[in-house]
Amino acid sequence: MKAVMVMFDTLNRRFLPPYGADWIHAPNFRRLAARTATFDTCYAGSMPCMPARRELHTGRYNFLHRGWGPLEPFDDSVPELLGKQGIHTHLATDHPHYWEDGGATYHGRFRTYEFFRGQEGDPWKGQVADPDIPEADRVRRDHVWRQDWVNRQHLASEEDHPQTRTFDAGLEFLHTNHAADDWFLQIETFDPHEPFFSYERHKRHYPHAYDGPHFDWPDYKRVQETAEQTEHARLEYAALLTMCDQSLGRVLDAMDELDLWDDTLLIVNTDHGLLLGEHEWWGKGVAPWYDETIHTPLFVWDPCSRVRGERREALVQTVDIGPTLLEYFGVDRTPDMQGHPLRRTVADDTPVREAGLFGGFGGHVSVTDGRYVYMRACANPYNQPLHEHTLMPTHMRGFFTPAELKNAELVPPFSFTKDVPLLKVPGHALSNPYSFGTLLFDLHTDPGQEHPLLDDALELRMATLLTEQLRAADAPLGQYERLGLPPTGPVTPEHLLARTQKPQADAALQPPARPEDFPTGPFSVQVPLRDLIAHPEAEAVVRAHFAALLDGPFAQRAVNLSLLQIAAIAVGLLPTDRLREIAARLSEIDTTTPK
């Protein structure tokens, strides 16, 4: 038995021709759909990148217990389980997060692996002198931003690009081993993840006039750019996707050339999508997990059923991919896995689940039945209690600090930790879901998720489904308290939140504040916070309207941002009405008054 998984990062299904995007130049995705079963109702689970990969390895949700982090000592790893049964597993990737503290235990579960450098600020090339960076529309200008411009100097040729080299390595494995048996190859590229760096021959498919600042790497924030800038970024993403399509075509060519279709499972998937201006947002992880980010593409060719050119409607998830690989190779799932093999689903659309769970640590906890999507926010504005449960205390880049670990405690095992107790550490979310409220959508009548429903009977059914999923995942008790749901017993009308939280949901749906709506000047919401707090009168204005902005830890991280930029990133912290009040007061300051 042989299997190949081609995995892209940040592949938005709404930009793929098999899912209706006829304007995208992606002939190989069309070709792929003609050779596989195309899944229409596939959802990711634990978000974003490394939590999604932990699901691929373990076949179970992890975002309720842990944020971004490595595989844990008690985790089951599908590549490792395959390896123990004599299946040679190989990873070819340019995904930089595997080589950071928060992802350092994943690639080692493969028998062999290759890594190619240079994506998204990967600390690759050492250069002391600052690189040439063009005028760019970018809020976050940290060391990752700088390093990315150092790296780009070494990617002038498409042959040198890490995506190209990753697929080169995958194809080398295929040509070396196609006549052998019992192997699994994972070709995994970071693209089309931002920054949307591609080459002129891919950009030519999307001609447009643009003379604004460089813009191929949006911040994760509200859209404050012009319509022209927004369209430009979307087309830059499209060009990179076209480059990905070319790489996919190379794999399909090899499948043809080496006669692999007769005995090789092929899975083409992604971890999540991306908001590219939809819902007035860029990125992922701050706004709720809308369909553009969580409803993912999936293509499967199974040489056993030989289904090709057909659609599948059954609700499936990322947690199902690992169990599918195990069953294909005749390896038993472990009792801790929540995913289901998709062999029968590929063959005849057999359902594998009633509901799918998804979310990010400390954010909305959501559930879908394939038609309705219920996004449960926290029940209190503090988004607490929230704890990390881990034996691997690392963040994306770096360890948990001694200050974080000072209040850690050792707590009893969960059902899936193999009798191993865990560290319970106070946790922090990237954004507060309370600012968005609890949301309920009908994807049949509102596929754009623009009109949240208020339907108590439907919310009760979906909240019950969600609670059942929490219990099946052995969620920490703190999650029930944070979400206002019962750890035992029935969900009742008293537990519903959508109607109660409608005011903040309505506020979050209001158009974002834009630069052209506010005055400029030495004291305005468009100058950095550091400049305002350096002037006593300006500091007094900010403090009078929002003292917590200056007194909390956020101020140190945001000191180089303007109040307008802060409002776009931290939803709920500076609502538009408050921003207007501050702008009006700042405009009254006498600019001739000495500091």
Side-chain angles (χ1 to χ4, degrees):
M1 308 296 283
K2 310 167 188 177
V4 177
M5 184 166 80
V6 179
M7 183 173 177
F8 297 93
D9 194 301
T10 316
L11 187 61
N12 190 324
R13 72 193 292 274
R14 299 190 181 200
F15 277 68
L16 295 178
Y19 292 98
D22 293 334
W23 63 278
I24 292 286
H25 181 78
N28 292 300
F29 274 101
R30 294 181 187 273
R31 179 180 164 199
L32 174 69
R35 295 299 305 258
T36 63
T38 300
F39 283 78
D40 288 325
T41 320
C42 179
Y43 279 77
S46 299
M47 293 291 101
C49 299
M50 297 324 290
R53 283 154 183 79
R54 190 176 173 201
E55 284 196 348
L56 283 168
H57 280 253
T58 65
R60 66 173 297 113
Y61 308 112
N62 60 78
F63 74 95
L64 297 166
H65 304 82
R66 183 72 166 94
W68 186 297
L71 284 170
E72 299 277 351
F74 49 80
D75 279 343
D76 302 311
S77 165
V78 167
E80 189 168 55
L81 292 170
L82 291 174
K84 288 179 179 178
Q85 296 301 315
I87 310 301
H88 189 104
T89 56
H90 184 77
L91 171 68
T93 184
D94 60 5
H95 197 285
H97 297 313
Y98 280 127
W99 273 258
E100 295 167 343
D101 294 324
T105 57
Y106 292 89
H107 62 279
R109 310 283 71 75
F110 290 82
R111 183 71 59 84
T112 50
Y113 47 84
E114 298 175 86
F115 178 46
F116 302 95
R117 306 294 300 270
Q119 293 277 22
E120 197 211 23
D122 174 22
W124 176 34
K125 296 293 186 180
Q127 178 176 315
V128 176
D130 285 337
D132 291 330
I133 301 177
E135 178 190 358
D137 201 330
R138 176 78 175 164
V139 172
R140 184 181 172 190
R141 296 170 179 263
D142 56 9
H143 66 282
V144 177
W145 165 257
R146 178 191 182 278
Q147 182 64 48
D148 189 72
W149 284 99
V150 172
N151 293 346
R152 291 193 195 202
Q153 299 170 140
H154 302 272
L155 304 178
S157 169
E158 190 170 342
E159 288 71 26
D160 294 330
H161 193 280
Q163 180 194 144
T164 304
R165 298 180 67 201
T166 294
F167 279 85
D168 287 345
L171 293 171
E172 179 187 10
F173 182 93
L174 288 180
H175 282 90
T176 300
N177 299 291
H178 69 93
D181 200 10
D182 294 332
W183 51 258
F184 166 58
L185 167 65
Q186 182 168 323
I187 305 174
E188 179 184 343
T189 180
F190 194 60
D191 292 324
H193 191 289
E194 68 277 3
F196 309 139
F197 174 76
S198 65
Y199 297 87
E200 184 57 36
R201 70 188 188 99
H202 308 299
K203 298 177 190 291
R204 282 201 298 266
H205 293 288
Y206 310 97
H208 63 288
Y210 179 72
D211 60 359
H214 185 92
F215 190 39
D216 65 5
W217 192 351
D219 295 282
Y220 290 2
K221 65 176 186 65
R222 299 296 301 272
V223 174
Q224 294 178 311
E225 293 77 11
T226 66
E228 180 187 24
Q229 288 173 303
T230 300
E231 180 66 8
H232 173 69
R234 289 171 63 85
L235 295 179
E236 292 288 89
Y237 175 86
L240 182 54
L241 194 153
T242 293
M243 182 178 171
C244 292
D245 179 81
Q246 171 191 289
S247 295
L248 172 64
R250 298 173 66 199
V251 176
L252 299 182
D253 289 344
M255 295 282 290
D256 291 339
E257 175 191 349
L258 303 174
D259 294 324
L260 291 174
W261 296 104
D262 286 337
D263 60 1
T264 305
L265 176 74
L266 174 65
I267 299 172
V268 178
N269 68 317
T270 189
D271 50 0
H272 51 69
L274 193 73
L275 287 171
L276 288 154
E278 301 91 350
H279 307 279
E280 299 286 354
W281 274 95
W282 295 111
K284 59 185 187 288
V286 179
W289 293 100
Y290 289 114
D291 233 43
E292 291 85 354
T293 60
I294 204 73
H295 190 173
T296 56
L298 176 65
F299 306 86
V300 181
W301 162 258
D302 186 343
C304 299
S305 62
R306 307 187 70 80
V307 170
R308 56 185 292 175
E310 297 183 16
R311 314 291 291 208
R312 292 293 175 257
E313 296 295 330
L315 174 61
V316 302
Q317 289 199 269
T318 306
V319 291
D320 299 322
I321 293 175
T324 299
L325 287 166
L326 292 176
E327 184 187 64
Y328 176 76
F329 283 105
V331 179
D332 292 336
R333 283 179 288 162
T334 69
D336 295 329
M337 291 187 175
Q338 297 176 280
H340 305 276
L342 298 180
R343 176 179 58 84
R344 291 185 59 197
T345 311
V346 172
D348 58 19
D349 215 9
T350 297
V352 294
R353 61 167 38 79
E354 179 185 8
L357 183 72
F358 61 87
F361 181 73
H364 284 85
V365 178
S366 304
V367 70
T368 183
D369 62 1
R371 174 176 178 174
Y372 297 103
V373 173
Y374 182 55
M375 302 173 170
R376 181 83 178 197
C378 48
N380 64 72
Y382 309 105
N383 198 25
Q384 292 292 327
L386 184 63
H387 293 89
E388 302 258 14
H389 295 82
T390 183
L391 291 176
M392 302 288 289
T394 62
H395 297 299
M396 178 193 294
R397 302 181 182 96
F399 301 110
F400 281 33
T401 65
E404 289 177 285
L405 293 170
K406 182 173 61 176
N407 295 316
E409 55 181 316
L410 198 65
V411 296
F414 289 98
S415 61
F416 57 89
T417 64
K418 301 176 176 59
D419 298 322
V420 176
L422 300 173
L423 284 176
K424 179 182 176 183
V425 185
H428 305 280
L430 292 175
S431 65
N432 188 339
Y434 190 85
S435 299
F436 295 89
T438 293
L439 303 169
L440 177 63
F441 295 102
D442 181 350
L443 295 181
H444 285 193
T445 61
D446 181 24
Q449 294 175 298
E450 297 174 333
H451 308 289
L453 299 174
L454 287 180
D455 183 327
D456 291 352
L458 177 59
E459 184 183 1
L460 184 61
R461 181 174 79 80
M462 297 302 291
T464 298
L465 268 183
L466 176 59
T467 303
E468 291 170 353
Q469 293 293 308
L470 295 178
R471 294 172 185 174
D474 196 9
L477 288 176
Q479 289 283 11
Y480 295 95
E481 183 179 349
R482 181 178 77 94
L483 299 169
L485 291 169
T488 60
V491 179
T492 67
E494 287 70 29
H495 294 114
L496 304 185
L497 287 180
R499 196 174 297 277
T500 302
Q501 295 184 342
K502 187 176 186 300
Q504 59 255 46
D506 288 342
L509 291 173
Q510 294 302 307
R514 296 184 182 275
E516 58 268 24
D517 298 332
F518 295 88
T520 58
F523 304 118
S524 77
V525 297
Q526 302 199 49
V527 302
L529 180 61
R530 67 170 183 270
D531 293 345
L532 296 181
I533 61 180
H535 189 283
E537 288 187 58
E539 180 189 11
V541 169
V542 176
R543 184 173 296 279
H545 285 80
F546 204 73
L549 184 64
L550 301 182
D551 297 334
F554 183 79
Q556 293 303 314
R557 300 195 299 269
V559 70
N560 293 321
L561 305 181
S562 70
L563 295 180
L564 188 62
Q565 291 170 329
I566 293 170
I569 295 170
V571 173
L573 192 64
L574 284 173
T576 300
D577 289 346
R578 181 175 295 168
L579 203 60
R580 293 187 190 283
E581 293 177 18
I582 295 174
R585 289 289 309 279
L586 290 174
S587 68
E588 297 171 357
I589 296 176
D590 183 358
T591 58
T592 63
T593 303
K595 297 181 181 180

